[in-house]
Amino acid sequence: MYLEDRLEIMEKEDELPKRYFPNDYSDYHGTQVILYDWKPRIKEFVKIITTQQSLTLRDCDGGLYVGLSGISYVFWYLAHSPHFTQERVEFLKHAQSLMQIALQHAQAPEVQFDPTMKAGFLLGNAGVYAVASALYAAVGDQDLCHKYLQSYASAASHCQPIHFLRCGGDELFVGRAGFICGALWLRKTLGIDILPQERMFSLCDAIIQSGREYSLRQRSPVPLMYAYYDTEYLGAAHGISAILQMLMSVPDYLLSRPDVSRDVKTTLDFLTSLQQPNGNYPCAMDELGGRRPEPEELIHWCHGAPGVVYMLAKAYLVFKEDKYLHACLKCGEITWQKGQLRKGPGICHGVGGSGYVFLLLYRLTGDQRHLHRAQQFASFIFTEQFQRHSRQPDCPYSLFEGLAGTVCFLVDLMQPEKASFPFFDIFS
């Protein structure tokens, strides 16, 4: 490419929004949506992952989020897809090879004694053990399945104490909400309760006590509030929306605790009220004094409407109030406008995560508009504009930042009636 051509491209890039590509796709016009066959694209990505992802203990850092165990999960997920029955054995073998390295890393002394690793679901060992148990169940090794289920269950005692982590022990990545998320996923996946009901309720009670104590101490406007590294996050990654989502997801918990149900509902309604006119949500409570400048606005699964929407959808299913559905639909609108993200194809802060919003809304409403939008976002990932001008994630083949998560999104596009963001199925 000539230098002047390259400079012209760079000048045009400088004129575009900083965090997303303008959406030039036409919206839904009322016709029946025909599902695409994404298998060839999925196989392309699988080949890239298997040939380019390095396989060392260092690559296990970051747990399910960006480590090898997360990629192992994707191959397990592919093996369970009806579209890849012929590749099932191959995919399960590859999942095992990745998991063996991840388990070796998890059992290293320096990792086992790290307090943030023991009960951490997305960033710690608990998530590795959860996926390992599902994987070994899939290959028929019940002994190893039981072993890693026990390893997961034993971590419950570690995260039971209210202040078990100084940085904040209630959020999704390393805290109690994540541990509950993993237990619910295992319940759905294997059909067993790895913890008795009273133990699950006890963990939820710890979240409630922690949130009440923090709220009183900080004079919060709501009965429940949480902080992670001294920031009161609102989004899914480290914030209160995922915490409330998990409390609403534990079967019968709110029914058994009327006072808790009242506090959850009050906090939920406050968070819902924070939705901005454009449909997005602030990243943290310290942003309530004034919105971020538009170029700095975060519209990601981790921070913003594409993650908060799961809490709102669960609230709609639990409390049956239309205001939550309306808030969900506004999340969908801002995601359609600004969700073709520059940070890559991933599900945490990339286009795949935005696309999952529409699959959620499709399952929630049955409206073909959302399925159309999901397919448009998937198509965008393969455009020259995205391929040339999106940013390279730090972990380009991983579950949450890279191509592995995109594979999950594309698989779910072929089975939209069952689609769910990894580990985040609000319908189960």
Side-chain angles (χ1 to χ4, degrees):
M1 181 181 295
Y2 292 109
L3 178 59
E4 56 267 28
D5 293 334
R6 182 61 185 162
L7 290 173
E8 181 181 354
I9 289 174
M10 293 174 66
E11 289 172 0
K12 289 181 179 179
E13 282 290 290
D14 290 339
E15 296 171 2
L16 295 174
K18 180 179 180 180
R19 297 188 180 276
Y20 64 94
F21 297 92
N23 185 355
D24 295 326
Y25 285 100
S26 61
D27 206 352
Y28 178 66
H29 295 301
T31 57
Q32 179 70 25
V33 175
I34 306 299
L35 295 179
Y36 300 166
D37 180 9
W38 294 101
K39 283 185 66 175
R41 295 295 195 180
I42 291 169
K43 288 182 176 181
E44 287 178 24
F45 281 171
V46 166
K47 184 176 181 179
I48 292 171
I49 294 168
T50 55
T51 58
Q52 298 189 26
Q53 172 64 55
S54 57
L55 304 175
T56 70
L57 290 178
R58 182 177 297 179
D59 297 306
C60 299
D61 288 340
L64 296 177
Y65 185 71
V66 292
L68 293 184
S69 57
I71 302 177
S72 176
Y73 163 83
V74 175
F75 282 97
W76 170 87
Y77 193 67
L78 282 165
H80 286 77
S81 169
H83 299 283
F84 291 97
T85 53
Q86 292 183 348
E87 296 88 352
R88 175 180 169 84
V89 173
E90 173 193 349
F91 285 155
L92 286 176
K93 284 182 178 179
H94 198 69
Q96 285 180 271
S97 66
L98 293 166
M99 183 55 69
Q100 288 169 358
I101 304 171
L103 288 168
Q104 184 181 350
H105 177 268
Q107 291 159 4
E110 64 272 18
V111 175
Q112 286 188 316
F113 293 109
D114 183 340
T116 64
M117 294 292 286
K118 291 183 179 180
F121 181 60
L122 291 185
L123 286 185
N125 286 353
V128 177
Y129 296 141
V131 174
S133 63
L135 173 58
Y136 286 112
V139 300
D141 193 329
Q142 294 304 317
D143 290 339
L144 284 180
C145 172
H146 180 73
K147 173 184 176 179
Y148 293 119
L149 280 175
Q150 289 299 109
S151 297
Y152 192 93
S154 67
S157 60
H158 178 72
C159 63
Q160 182 69 55
I162 301 300
H163 304 295
F164 85 100
L165 286 181
R166 291 183 180 180
C167 60
D170 297 291
E171 54 81 71
L172 186 68
F173 279 48
V174 297
R176 278 179 284 263
F179 186 85
I180 290 172
C181 180
L184 293 172
W185 178 76
L186 285 167
R187 182 177 190 263
K188 171 195 169 186
T189 302
L190 299 179
I192 59 174
D193 292 312
I194 65 164
L195 295 176
Q197 184 185 69
E198 61 269 20
R199 198 67 195 279
M200 286 287 283
F201 283 12
S202 181
L203 288 173
C204 293
D205 288 341
I207 291 177
I208 295 297
Q209 181 182 342
S210 174
R212 285 171 172 171
E213 289 181 1
Y214 180 86
S215 180
L216 286 172
R217 192 164 61 248
Q218 299 296 321
R219 298 181 180 179
S220 175
V222 286
L224 301 173
M225 186 51 66
Y226 305 87
Y228 185 65
Y229 285 103
D230 300 321
T231 298
E232 296 173 357
Y233 290 108
L234 302 179
H238 302 297
I240 191 172
S241 66
I243 296 171
L244 295 183
Q245 178 188 332
M246 295 309 151
L247 291 172
M248 290 187 285
S249 298
V250 174
D252 298 325
Y253 177 65
L254 295 186
L255 291 175
S256 72
R257 308 281 201 278
D259 62 318
V260 169
S261 182
R262 183 180 61 250
D263 283 358
V264 167
K265 182 71 163 54
T266 301
T267 305
L268 174 65
D269 287 346
F270 173 77
L271 292 176
T272 304
S273 75
L274 299 181
Q275 191 167 38
Q276 297 163 348
N278 69 353
N280 199 29
Y281 281 86
C283 295
M285 287 290 287
D286 59 13
E287 295 185 9
L288 298 191
R291 282 180 58 182
R292 287 182 179 224
E294 193 275 339
E296 299 298 326
E297 189 174 24
L298 300 183
I299 304 173
H300 307 157
W301 171 81
C302 47
H303 301 292
V308 178
V309 69
Y310 295 91
M311 176 198 75
L312 296 169
K314 190 66 182 181
Y316 175 63
L317 295 175
V318 170
F319 294 107
K320 309 291 193 296
E321 296 183 17
D322 286 344
K323 63 183 177 182
Y324 302 123
L325 177 60
H326 294 155
C328 285
L329 295 175
K330 289 184 69 175
C331 290
E333 291 305 314
I334 188 62
T335 305
W336 174 248
Q337 295 165 21
K338 299 183 178 182
Q340 292 183 345
L341 300 171
R342 290 177 167 273
K343 282 193 171 183
I347 61 174
C348 181
H349 35 258
V351 179
S354 299
Y356 261 121
V357 173
F358 305 122
L359 290 178
L360 168 71
L361 294 178
Y362 174 68
R363 288 191 67 184
L364 198 64
T365 68
D367 189 340
Q368 294 264 311
R369 175 185 303 275
H370 306 300
L371 185 54
H372 166 84
R373 290 177 168 185
Q375 293 204 142
Q376 298 293 68
F377 270 45
S379 297
F380 180 68
I381 292 171
F382 300 99
T383 62
E384 182 181 1
Q385 181 187 25
F386 183 79
Q387 295 290 328
R388 295 183 67 183
H389 303 304
S390 62
R391 301 188 184 103
Q392 174 90 333
D394 292 336
C395 300
Y397 316 112
S398 63
L399 175 56
F400 274 78
E401 286 191 353
L403 291 181
T406 316
V407 166
C408 290
F409 171 52
L410 296 177
V411 170
D412 280 348
L413 264 176
M414 295 193 295
Q415 50 187 27
E417 70 286 347
K418 298 179 180 179
S420 63
F421 189 96
F423 311 111
F424 248 44
D425 188 357
I426 67 159
F427 299 95
S428 61

